[in-house]
Structures are given as structure tokens and as C-alpha cells.
Amino acid sequence: MKNKLPYFVGAMLLVTFAAYSLTSFKDTLTPYVSYEQARTAERVVQVAGGLDKSDIDYDMAGGSLRFTLLDPESDDTLRVRYDGLKPANFEDAISIVAIGQFDAATNELAADKLLVKCPSKYQGVETKEYS
């Protein structure tokens, strides 16, 4: 039994390290969720949707952008607040991904990051014909 003690301690250290690593990795994942799930989530999540172009409020002095995301499948809406510079071509976006945590006090998703899909990036390139 005396010779097996170092192996047992080593095995316990490896199991502890593996459990800690898996737990830390799981906490860094940011899943895509529905708007309803985002409202009840207690962690950082990602939501995607279209931009309601009639509901965009950008405070340039305060650096705060507020807008509404539309879920094309359920017609649900989610108000988003982003503190930072408004992304270029924001109004032309065909899809926006907001990454953040829902703030129940303001009933908004407080986004830390925005990913904006610009339509011009996915259009075909015009070619010139020379005669």
C-alpha cells in the first residue's frame, strides 16, 4: 500500500485538474439562444436577428447605441443596448449578432459585442468590360 500512495495522489491531481479545466471551458462558451431564453439567462449569451430600422437610437455624446432586434421566425423582438461606437454601415445590416447579458432592470440586452453582417460584402463583384 505504501508504494501506491504517490500514484493515488497523482491520479487525484489529474482528475482535479481535468474537472477544473472542463468547468472553466464551459464558462467561456457563449451559446446562441432565443430571445425568450436570453431574458431568463443568468450568463452571457448570443442572440441574432434582423434590425428594426425604425427603432435605432444612437447617442453620439454618450456613446450609447440602442436598437431593436427582430426574430424572423417568431416575430419576437428584443431591445439591445450597446455602449460603444456604432459599427459602420449599421443601418444597412441584414443580420446582427449581439453578445451580452440581459438586464432585467432596463428590460434590455446589455451587449458587450456586436457582429454586423453587411450586405455589400456578400454581393457579387461588378466587372467592367473593355472593348
Side-chain angles (χ1 to χ4, degrees):
M1 178 71 184
K2 189 175 183 181
N3 292 337
K4 294 182 180 180
L5 183 61
Y7 294 112
F8 179 73
V9 171
M12 291 304 294
L13 285 173
L14 286 174
V15 169
T16 302
F17 179 73
Y20 176 74
S21 298
L22 288 174
T23 303
S24 297
F25 179 70
K26 185 179 175 187
D27 290 343
T28 61
L29 295 176
T30 310
Y32 275 96
V33 297
S34 68
Y35 295 173
E36 188 63 34
Q37 291 172 325
R39 289 183 184 101
T40 59
E42 295 180 3
R43 58 179 295 191
V44 174
V45 295
Q46 295 186 55
V47 292
L51 177 65
D52 180 1
K53 295 183 180 182
S54 66
D55 193 14
I56 302 171
D57 180 27
Y58 181 58
D59 179 15
M60 190 177 290
S64 177
L65 175 65
R66 286 184 163 83
F67 59 95
T68 300
L69 282 179
L70 301 169
D71 187 356
E73 295 177 2
S74 67
D75 292 332
D76 194 8
T77 61
L78 181 67
R79 187 81 174 149
V80 178
R81 180 186 73 239
Y82 174 69
D83 294 324
L85 295 175
K86 184 170 70 172
N89 297 333
F90 181 76
E91 289 84 4
D92 299 329
I94 58 173
S95 172
I96 296 175
V97 175
I99 304 169
Q101 189 166 8
F102 190 76
D103 183 3
T106 60
N107 201 24
E108 297 174 327
L109 180 81
D112 299 324
K113 295 179 186 173
L114 292 179
L115 305 174
V116 179
K117 188 174 182 181
C118 180
S120 64
K121 194 171 188 177
Y122 302 98
Q123 292 176 347
V125 178
E126 294 182 20
T127 57
K128 289 184 176 181
E129 293 184 21
Y130 297 98
S131 53

